[in-house]
Amino acid sequence: MNEYSMEELIPVVVELSEKYTSKESTSISYQKAQQLMEAVIYCIEELDMSKIPERELYYVKRVEGDAIEAYREGYQLVIKKVIKVKEIYEKVIEQFQSYQNQCLEETVLKGIPGFLRYYDAKFAPQDHILTFDYPTLIDPLKQCGVDAVYSYISYIAIEQEFLHAFSNDYVRDILENYQNDYETLFFNISSVVMRNMIGAMIVKKPLSKVKFQDGDYQIVSSWVVQQKEHLEESLTELLRILIQKGYPGGQEIFDYLKNDIDDFSIELRNACKHDCLSHVIG
């Protein structure tokens, strides 16, 4: 069998429910039993996360050992991942810049600490508490629980590393050119900055020049038309050059930022068609 049966999982849930009630009660609600079953499954799946890209409830791939052993080992991995989240967060917060964007600031300064304070690794490890209001370039909700938060804070750490290469004023100038009220918007900051820089590379402007003129937009529009069906590949190559020059050993930054290339290419084509490139590259 490639999966644990319900008969094997139920004794683990019973053991967990006894801890939940401190053995003071012999029964729990159906909803609570379901929650504890999900907790058991979550921890067991933690043993084989690399082979389970997205969780399917009540399908638990069998690993070495019986269900109780697998649960206990998986639970320890959940605890270790919580510790990793805390370690990454502490590094991020050392030099954290929100660039006065309220969404990013509240997520990092309030949301992540809230998760670390209230996360219930034993009885509800599948719940991540955090609402992920600040949109990263990869959706953390392909996962759940601490796995989602671990991915999320890792993405934010990569973005901060990318943005820290520039002054606070430089980044804010780009964001203000993009949208005057950017402080209150729910959008990805690193995407806007990256697109501005790639736009500058296309028109051969110094990256220090954050504003584009009408002539610059005409150059970008002509370049996009010339690329035709190769636009995504050309944008990816420009991003690769940008990261190689500015971030030695920055493969992780490149791999993360390239997740925006498909959307960037679509928006560029549409912007050229409707003569509104300023909405895409500032």
Side-chain angles (χ1 to χ4, degrees), residues 106-122:
E106 291 183 5
T107 297
V108 173
L109 299 186
K110 296 181 181 178
I112 301 295
F115 164 80
L116 291 170
R117 187 177 303 115
Y118 297 111
Y119 181 63
D120 187 348
K122 183 173 289 294

Side-chain angles (χ1 to χ4, degrees), residues 46-153:
E46 198 68 23
L47 295 174
D48 197 32
M49 281 297 294
S50 63
K51 298 179 181 179
I52 306 177
E54 295 188 25
R55 299 182 182 278
E56 292 185 31
L57 218 49
Y58 302 119
Y59 177 91
V60 193
K61 184 172 180 179
R62 182 178 294 277
V63 294
E64 186 175 349
D66 61 29
I68 290 180
E69 291 174 349
Y71 163 74
R72 290 172 179 168
E73 186 177 348
Y75 171 71
Q76 292 303 317
L77 291 178
V78 169
I79 295 299
K80 289 179 181 179
K81 190 160 284 187
V82 174
I83 294 172
K84 288 182 180 179
V85 168
K86 187 173 184 294
E87 291 173 348
I88 296 172
Y89 177 74
E90 288 175 347
K91 288 183 179 180
V92 166
I93 208 67
E94 286 178 0
Q95 294 181 300
F96 174 66
Q97 291 285 351
S98 68
Y99 306 99
Q100 297 192 356
N101 178 259
Q102 296 172 14
C103 180
L104 176 58
E105 183 170 315
E106 291 183 5
T107 297
V108 173
L109 299 186
K110 296 181 181 178
I112 301 295
F115 164 80
L116 291 170
R117 187 177 303 115
Y118 297 111
Y119 181 63
D120 187 348
K122 183 173 289 294
F123 300 118
Q126 68 275 18
D127 295 341
H128 38 258
I129 304 169
L130 190 63
T131 56
F132 305 107
D133 290 334
Y134 176 74
T136 49
L137 297 180
I138 303 174
D139 183 5
L141 289 176
K142 291 180 179 179
Q143 301 172 298
C144 62
V146 69
D147 296 313
V149 178
Y150 174 79
S151 295
Y152 190 61
I153 190 61

Side-chain angles (χ1 to χ4, degrees), residues 9 65 79-80 109 113 125 128 135-136 172 188 208 240 249 259 261 269 282:
L9 294 174
I79 295 299
K80 289 179 181 179
L109 299 186
H128 38 258
T136 49
R172 290 190 58 198
N188 185 270
S208 59
R240 189 187 308 278
N259 286 281
I261 292 296
R269 286 191 174 98

